Amino acid sequence: MPAHVLILGGTTEARRLAAGLAARPGVRVTTSLAGRVTRPGAVAGEVRIGGFGGAQGLADWLRTHHVDALVDATHPFAEAITANAARAAAATEIPWVVLRRPGWRPGPGDRWYDVPSLAGAAEALPGLGRRVFLSTGRLGLAAFAHLTELHFVVRSVDPPEPPLPPDTELVLARGPFTVADETELLRTHRVEVLVTKDSGGEATAAKLTAARELALPVVVVRRPPLPRGVAVVSDVAGVREWLGLSPL
Ligand SMILES: NC(=O)c1ccc[n+]([C@@H]2O[C@H](COP(=O)([O-])OP(=O)(O)OC[C@H]3O[C@@H](n4cnc5c(N)ncnc54)[C@H](OP(=O)(O)O)[C@@H]3O)[C@@H](O)[C@H]2O)c1
């Protein structure tokens, strides 16, 4: 059984995993957060906050803190930290696994447009609607800044930094949101098209149901690829199994 597990966190799954491991005698669990959110939710076990200083910094941290297993439970779009984890795990020969919740798939009645990036979403938007609900988070909004003809409703936990599209309305809120919440938001702001990352999971899926019910098109930014050859599990139970721990 591994003695010290480092979880690269910032997701609901990371928090759930930490809670399960911290309750287990003989396991030391540390969750690492990037420090992007001003008031992160409570996390069980030890917590460290802030970047490591690249792959080398992470490798040093793993060695210095005698980490036995590394779990990358970061968001599917947190590409840089996952690349660093791959390099640090290779350098230290510490076993690592990626926890990635499954992506979203369209159902009957959905009008989804897949794009490979935020820039791709910006390209697709003008043909789809003038009033846009942008629920891609507060980072990367510069990709939409040149779209002067469109009205954007941007929702994020903390305020985004410029550059933003000139006609932007901010909605500061933290999920999860219900289908009723999302329907009201889409109606109130007379949204014509929604943009989302393919985050997957239940916590932020209500907006997709609301869009379907209102027959709105959805631009879905698909995920960046994972490093080649990495072990991937889709849920917390999969990590527990990978760690050789019995289910709860
Ligand atoms: N991207 C999203 O859409 C999204 C959505 C929800 C939550 N999150 C969470 O927010 C955090 C940052 O996301 P991002 O997309 O900005 O990441 P990113 O682009 O992959 O990472 C940029 C840098 O931030 C630091 N970093 C990222 N995650 C870290 C962690 N868990 N612990 C310590 N340092 C971390 C690393 O700095 P150093 O190189 O200095 O180590 C990394 O090189 C992640 O933990 C992710 O799980 C992201």
Side-chain angles (χ1 to χ4, degrees):
M1 181 191 292
H4 188 189
V5 179
L6 176 66
I7 302 172
L8 301 173
T11 58
T12 311
E13 288 84 348
R15 201 172 304 125
R16 278 195 205 129
L17 178 64
L21 296 183
R24 200 159 181 121
V27 178
R28 178 180 167 201
V29 56
T30 305
T31 297
S32 174
L33 301 174
R36 301 272 192 280
V37 178
T38 43
R39 288 178 297 110
V43 178
E46 297 168 41
V47 176
R48 67 160 300 286
I49 297 181
F52 294 94
Q56 181 64 54
L58 175 54
D60 292 345
W61 201 97
L62 292 170
R63 285 195 195 98
T64 311
H65 295 83
H66 307 288
V67 171
D68 300 290
L70 173 63
V71 180
D72 177 351
T74 57
H75 190 271
F77 283 82
E79 207 175 350
I81 187 72
T82 297
N84 289 349
R87 287 201 290 275
T92 56
E93 297 185 3
I94 288 171
W96 80 298
V97 68
V98 173
L99 165 53
R100 276 291 175 283
R101 57 179 94 129
W104 288 318
R105 293 288 160 247
D110 282 326
R111 287 170 59 204
W112 288 14
Y113 298 82
D114 284 1
V115 293
S117 60
L118 291 175
E123 223 170 282
L125 276 178
L128 294 173
R130 213 194 65 77
R131 299 182 64 85
V132 184
F133 176 37
L134 211 48
S135 66
T136 50
R138 72 189 178 95
L139 300 175
L141 301 184
F144 302 92
H146 63 289
L147 295 172
T148 53
E149 303 296 310
L150 306 187
H151 174 79
F152 286 89
V153 178
V154 170
R155 181 171 69 196
S156 58
V157 176
D158 290 314
E161 276 158 33
L164 301 173
D167 188 1
T168 294
E169 205 175 327
L170 275 186
V171 176
L172 295 181
R174 187 195 291 262
F177 305 100
T178 65
V179 175
D181 294 335
E182 301 293 48
T183 306
E184 191 188 330
L185 183 136
L186 294 174
R187 281 215 175 104
T188 308
H189 294 276
R190 291 176 289 118
V191 167
E192 294 166 356
V193 54
L194 184 150
V195 183
T196 181
K197 289 177 179 169
D198 175 20
S199 300
E202 290 300 313
T204 55
K207 61 192 172 193
L208 301 171
T209 309
R212 181 186 313 138
E213 286 173 2
L214 296 172
L216 297 182
V218 180
V219 179
V220 181
V221 182
R222 289 300 176 188
R223 299 170 172 194
L226 283 168
R228 236 186 268 163
V230 62
V232 185
V233 296
S234 61
D235 55 18
V236 170
V239 179
R240 297 179 64 83
E241 199 177 313
W242 179 84
L243 287 167
L245 301 174
S246 52
L248 279 178

